[in-house]
Every structure is written in C-alpha cells, then in structure tokens.
Amino acid sequence: MEVFSNAPSAFPPRRPVIGGQEYCLRRADRDDIYQILLLEKEVYQGQLPWSQKIFAKELRRRDSLYLLLYFGSYLVGMVGCRFRFYQAHITYLAVVPQLQGRGLGTYLLTVILNEVKKQDLNKVTLEVRVENKKAQALYRHLGFRDNFIRRNYYTNVDRPDSDGLNMICDLRKKNYCQW
C-alpha cells in the first residue's frame, strides 16, 4: 500500500516578474478546467493527452498541487505535483509554445520544488518523452538525472507509442530558492 501525504494546504497567489513581465501564479481549482484544456490543446497541437475527467480527478486529490501561471487573463503555463510520503512526483508541466525558452518553465518547476522541500520531501521524480530533449535539458539544469526508461509509457492514436524517461532529483543537493 502506498502512503500519501497532503499537498500544501495554503498557496497564496503570487505576482512574479519573469523576463521583465509581470505574471500571476495561483493554485488551480475545478473552475479552471476549461482554461486548462485550452492550454493543453495549444501546447499539444490540438490534442488532449489529459481529459476533463482526469483534470477534475487530479484537482480533487488531497495529495496534489496544481499551479497556473497567467499573463493578464491568458493562461500561459501550468505545473502539477503529487506529494507522497517519501517523495514527490511532477505530473504535469506545460508552457504555451510561443513563450517557451523565456524562463516560465524554470520558474514553475522552481516554485513546485520549493513546495516539495517545505513538505520535507527530498526526492522528486517525473517522466518525459525520450525524444523531448528540450525538456530534458531544463530538468537536468535543475538537478534532475536520468533514472530509467518506461517502455511505451506515452500512447497516442495519431502516432506510435513513445517511451518515457523517468528522471529523479535529490533536493538535498541543490538550493531552488532562486525565485
């Protein structure tokens, strides 16, 4: 039996400045699902790897934290994480394509890693497509290392199945409080 811990209960909205632009970061709730699905369609070229039902389930979980990053009224990024008894697992990271490479993904990951550290968890895992070298570079920059391959982890109706690279980060080895 896997034991879960609660995600942080309080996450007050923040107004970070990234690359000279002001954004709003806040916790996601079920009322945000429509906007989240629009973000996902934009990030995944019209596809919806996660359904409305999956997002609704994730946002109800007591062991999960999902954060939304807005530029004005436009949802530009999202990160999600599950908090387990011994470690955390990043379940979701997305930034709209036209704003990738501007530090938004780094910011979102840094915030979630700091939240993990606040819960006294030392290890964080995630999966990324083996062909997504850009995301892997971001994760390695933040201290993640390759762990193992999950064969046929990602399945799509429009293209062949893809392997997932499991990556792991030991938070005791790096300070993420740079934002």
Side-chain angles (χ1 to χ4, degrees), residues 12-47:
R14 301 176 186 179
R15 299 197 77 65
V17 175
I18 307 166
Q21 299 289 324
E22 184 177 75
Y23 294 85
C24 178
L25 180 72
R26 67 172 179 77
R27 187 180 202 131
D29 62 39
R30 289 182 26 213
D31 293 337
D32 296 311
I33 291 175
Y34 178 75
Q35 288 290 340
I36 292 168
L37 290 171
L38 291 177
L39 170 71
E40 186 167 65
K41 270 186 154 181
E42 190 169 350
V43 170
Y44 293 101
Q45 297 84 37
Q47 300 296 312

Side-chain angles (χ1 to χ4, degrees), residues 5-6 19 48 116 124:
S5 64
N6 289 331
L48 290 173
V116 170
V124 181

Side-chain angles (χ1 to χ4, degrees), residues 86-88 113 116-117 121-125 139 142-146 167-176:
Y86 294 106
Q87 69 182 26
L113 292 174
V116 170
K117 282 180 77 170
L121 301 175
N122 295 319
K123 302 243 187 233
V124 181
T125 60
Y139 301 141
L142 290 174
F144 284 84
R145 61 179 172 75
D146 297 3
M167 300 182 81
I168 189 166
C169 181
D170 186 339
L171 294 178
R172 295 171 293 190
K173 295 182 179 180
K174 188 162 177 137
N175 179 7
Y176 293 93

